[in-house]
Amino acid sequence: MRQITTISQQAYEIIKEDIFSGRYAPGSWLQEKTIAEELGISRSPVREALRMLVADGIATVTPNKGIFVRTYTPKDIENIFEVREAIENYAMIHTRPEVIQQHRAQLEEEIGQFHKLHRTDDLETYIRLDANFHHQIVEMNANDLMTSLYEKAENQNHQFRIISLTSQKRFDESEQEHAAILENLLSGRKKEACKVNSRHLSLARDQVIDYLNHQPDPAQNS
């Protein structure tokens, strides 16, 4: 997780969270002046924050118009999940067993939290834990470049996490899949952990793509 050290970084985190929460929907115009006024800061750090969002692939620049929240196609989603699967599974295969065991207590605690949040139907907190769980799997491999690439894919995927869990069936399955991933990983069955994770990600991907395929075409409303 990035440490917030500047006003630009703080603005970046706030705007990003507003995008992830749906306050700024895909295609929304991120108006530099309006955001600066809302945050009570000058336009310069907001301008830098918007550049960072563009660099992360969360926002896009339309020449002579401005910066907008990125809209995604089914192919974009396929690409994002393909990267996630490749990096997460690589990390599980290549992380040393002793490192996995060092994280055992924390990972087991997170699985307990998954069960609790599922039981109480706390989807919002569940989604945050979901992101942390997968991120931790990647971080255990201690490859900073891989982690950086993963964070970029995760940023582009984050706003769709809630969509991938909208059905009760997927919510139930997701809880079971996380537990199976960890059980296999802690038992040294890395290939089986990867197999479960691949299925877990493909089901989430298909849910998001199905959602996008049922959205109105923006071009028809312009």
Side-chain angles (χ1 to χ4, degrees):
M1 184 178 293
R2 268 186 267 205
Q3 184 178 3
I4 299 175
T5 56
T6 65
I7 295 176
S8 295
Q9 184 68 46
Q10 292 180 52
Y12 164 85
E13 295 291 345
I14 292 169
I15 301 167
K16 183 172 73 170
E17 184 57 35
D18 283 343
I19 292 171
F20 290 167
S21 70
R23 180 168 181 256
Y24 294 124
S28 297
W29 181 19
L30 297 172
Q31 300 181 58
E32 182 183 304
K33 181 175 181 293
T34 301
I35 294 173
E37 290 173 350
E38 288 180 351
L39 298 181
I41 59 178
S42 69
R43 295 176 65 170
S44 180
V46 173
R47 188 177 307 123
E48 178 58 28
L50 294 177
R51 289 194 189 114
M52 294 162 66
L53 291 166
V54 171
D56 280 348
I58 302 171
T60 57
V61 178
T62 301
N64 302 317
K65 290 188 177 180
I67 295 177
F68 298 80
V69 177
R70 180 177 172 181
T71 57
Y72 293 84
T73 66
K75 179 59 176 173
D76 292 328
I77 300 303
E78 288 181 4
N79 292 343
I80 291 167
F81 275 89
E82 187 175 310
V83 170
R84 282 195 59 193
E85 180 182 0
I87 293 178
E88 289 179 27
N89 287 357
Y90 180 94
M92 286 194 285
I93 290 292
H94 292 276
T95 299
R96 299 192 310 276
E98 61 269 26
V99 174
I100 294 173
Q101 293 304 321
Q102 287 169 9
H103 289 80
R104 184 185 191 107
Q106 183 179 354
L107 289 165
E108 288 180 336
E109 180 181 351
E110 289 177 351
I111 292 300
Q113 286 296 311
F114 274 125
H115 294 326
K116 178 182 177 181
L117 295 169
H118 176 264
R119 189 170 60 251
T120 58
D121 204 29
D122 187 347
L123 183 56
E124 183 178 346
T125 308
Y126 185 99
I127 289 168
R128 289 198 295 270
L129 182 63
D130 183 10
N132 290 338
F133 178 79
H134 288 271
H135 193 274
Q136 185 181 354
I137 286 174
V138 173
E139 281 193 319
M140 285 194 301
N141 193 45
N143 183 321
D144 291 342
L145 178 57
M146 185 175 292
T147 300
S148 177
L149 292 171
Y150 182 79
E151 286 175 350
K152 185 168 184 177
E154 255 296 276
N155 277 332
Q156 295 176 30
N157 171 70
H158 192 87
Q159 61 190 294
F160 296 106
R161 280 187 178 275
I162 192 168
I163 295 169
S164 68
L165 295 171
T166 48
S167 76
Q168 186 62 47
K169 181 174 183 293
R170 270 309 298 148
F171 195 14
D172 296 343
E173 290 172 343
S174 174
E175 181 207 14
Q176 297 164 9
E177 288 155 6
H178 285 118
I181 290 167
L182 182 57
E183 179 184 354
N184 283 292
L185 191 59
L186 293 177
S187 300
R189 300 188 294 267
K190 292 183 174 183
K191 289 184 178 179
E192 185 60 30
C194 291
K195 182 178 177 181
V196 176
N197 189 53
S198 293
R199 184 171 69 249
H200 171 70
L201 293 176
S202 68
L203 289 169
R205 177 203 64 208
D206 291 348
Q207 192 89 358
V208 175
I209 290 175
D210 182 67
Y211 167 82
L212 291 179
N213 283 334
H214 286 85
Q215 295 305 295
D217 185 353
Q220 294 179 355
N221 299 323
S222 59

